[in-house]
Amino acid sequence: MALISPSRRLRRTPFSDGVEAAGVKAYTVYNRMLLPTVFDSVEADYRHLKQHVQVWDVACERQVELRGPDAGRLMQMLTPRDLRGMTAGQCFYVPIVDETGGMLNDPVAVKLSDDRWWISIADSDLLLWVKGIANGWRLDVLVDEPDVSPLAIQGPRADDLMARVFGEDVRKIRFFRFGIFQFEGRDMVIARSGYSKQGGYEIYLEGGDLGMPLWNRLFEAGEDLQVRAGCPNLIERIEGGLLSYGNDMTDDNTPHECGLGKFCNTHTAIGCIGRDALLRVAKEGPVQQIRPIAIDGDAVPGCDRPWPVFANGKRAGQVTSAAWSPDFETNVSIGMIRMTHWDAGTKLEVETPDGLRTATVRETFWI
């Protein structure tokens, strides 16, 4: 693939100097920012993530901040998940939908207080949609992108590394909750969350000037823990069924098609813009849905476009993410499969760039 030319439109992050010094080998573009994708190799990064601890520059997970008396009302308008029971200090995974029930994003909502929220977004222009809703409804709320850059600490030794930098109390943070901790005299939101199944934290750095001091401190503290720079790992995320917005789902898909129906409280999420559309979807059920699929044979090539899936010669869906798994010794993949062929054990054929492969629908993801 040709190189990507840098420019001011392709934004660096507060941690880019550290990422470059660590020997990053590849990037993707995410929310018009650089997101590392490979350091050593995808497989070597995968093995290290599962055994040690990594520091990820995920500043591309931009925040949409809602601030003001109508912040809570606006947040509920965006999602079919009922937020009434959510308290300050919690993080919720929330499907964001449009008026048709189509997925616009699948972010984590961070409730700082009743009148202040962060939406930690996947790769889409959600800020513009939220601004439009706020202004169209004349809500008393300010919507903007604050100077907040997440840094993820992931892997089985993440607790040990974080405790060395932020103190032992950081271990007490429960899953999808956050606490306020200090670094160089500045408060930081730290959540127990992250885009891997290995466990860890996300540090919401407010103020880019502390980016490299924080980066360097983590590496100094974790030298004996074999800490390395890392990034979301393709193999590990597919094994764990972690979806990628824009790859595994788009605004053509409803949350129910994406297997996110459990995050939709459509009957009680009063005010959600896509509520009426999703009530119909919930009643009728989806005609296609995301499934884990094991693809036979040697390692498949990279999946940079959908691969058609067939059953008995007829189109049955598509594979959207795929990779060879060293641990499970098969090609792991995520696909959107029609209801006639989505049952576990169903045999399929996947049209990969190097030919037709046999495949099997699985009951669950690998981890």
Side-chain angles (χ1 to χ4, degrees), residues 157-173:
R157 303 301 303 274
D159 278 35
D160 296 334
L161 177 57
M162 289 292 286
R164 292 180 183 184
V165 176
F166 293 99
E168 288 295 319
D169 283 351
V170 78
R171 299 179 188 268
K172 299 177 183 177
I173 303 174

Side-chain angles (χ1 to χ4, degrees), residues 140-331:
D140 187 4
V141 60
L142 175 66
V143 178
D144 63 9
E145 181 185 305
D147 182 12
V148 175
S149 300
L151 187 69
I153 316 301
Q154 301 289 293
R157 303 301 303 274
D159 278 35
D160 296 334
L161 177 57
M162 289 292 286
R164 292 180 183 184
V165 176
F166 293 99
E168 288 295 319
D169 283 351
V170 78
R171 299 179 188 268
K172 299 177 183 177
I173 303 174
R174 291 188 291 165
F175 184 61
F176 260 53
R177 290 184 177 268
F178 68 84
I180 307 295
F181 293 82
Q182 283 207 333
F183 180 77
E184 295 196 359
R186 192 176 300 174
D187 287 345
M188 292 193 186
V189 170
I190 298 179
R192 188 176 286 275
S193 57
Y195 196 55
S196 85
K197 286 297 185 77
Q198 305 310 308
Y201 301 81
E202 288 178 300
I203 306 167
Y204 290 80
L205 172 71
E206 286 193 76
D209 59 303
L210 282 184
M212 285 311 300
L214 175 59
W215 178 278
N216 291 333
R217 178 72 185 93
L218 287 161
F219 277 87
E220 291 164 3
E223 187 174 355
D224 63 317
L225 301 177
Q226 298 189 49
V227 62
R228 286 188 197 170
C231 52
N233 184 269
L234 175 68
I235 305 169
E236 197 268 352
R237 83 157 180 87
I238 297 174
E239 289 178 350
L242 299 177
L243 306 183
S244 170
Y245 185 81
N247 285 315
D248 304 314
M249 53 187 166
T250 69
D251 57 2
D252 289 329
N253 304 118
T254 67
H256 298 276
E257 290 178 337
C258 302
L260 305 178
K262 62 184 177 181
F263 299 110
C264 297
N265 315 108
T266 316
H267 288 282
T268 58
I270 307 301
C272 172
I273 287 172
R275 181 170 179 264
D276 289 345
L278 287 179
L279 282 171
R280 292 192 296 272
V281 172
K283 182 178 180 181
E284 298 167 3
V287 297
Q288 59 179 357
Q289 201 166 62
I290 280 178
R291 285 291 187 270
I293 302 168
I295 302 175
D296 298 332
D298 296 334
V300 292
C303 182
D304 64 351
R305 64 205 68 186
W307 295 345
V309 173
F310 300 93
N312 301 318
K314 294 183 179 181
R315 185 70 181 261
Q318 62 184 19
V319 162
T320 50
S321 296
W324 173 260
S325 166
D327 280 359
F328 295 96
E329 298 184 334
T330 188
N331 292 294

Side-chain angles (χ1 to χ4, degrees), residues 78 86 131 189 269 279 286 290 341:
L78 302 173
M86 188 177 181
K131 278 182 172 287
V189 170
L279 282 171
I290 280 178
H341 297 89

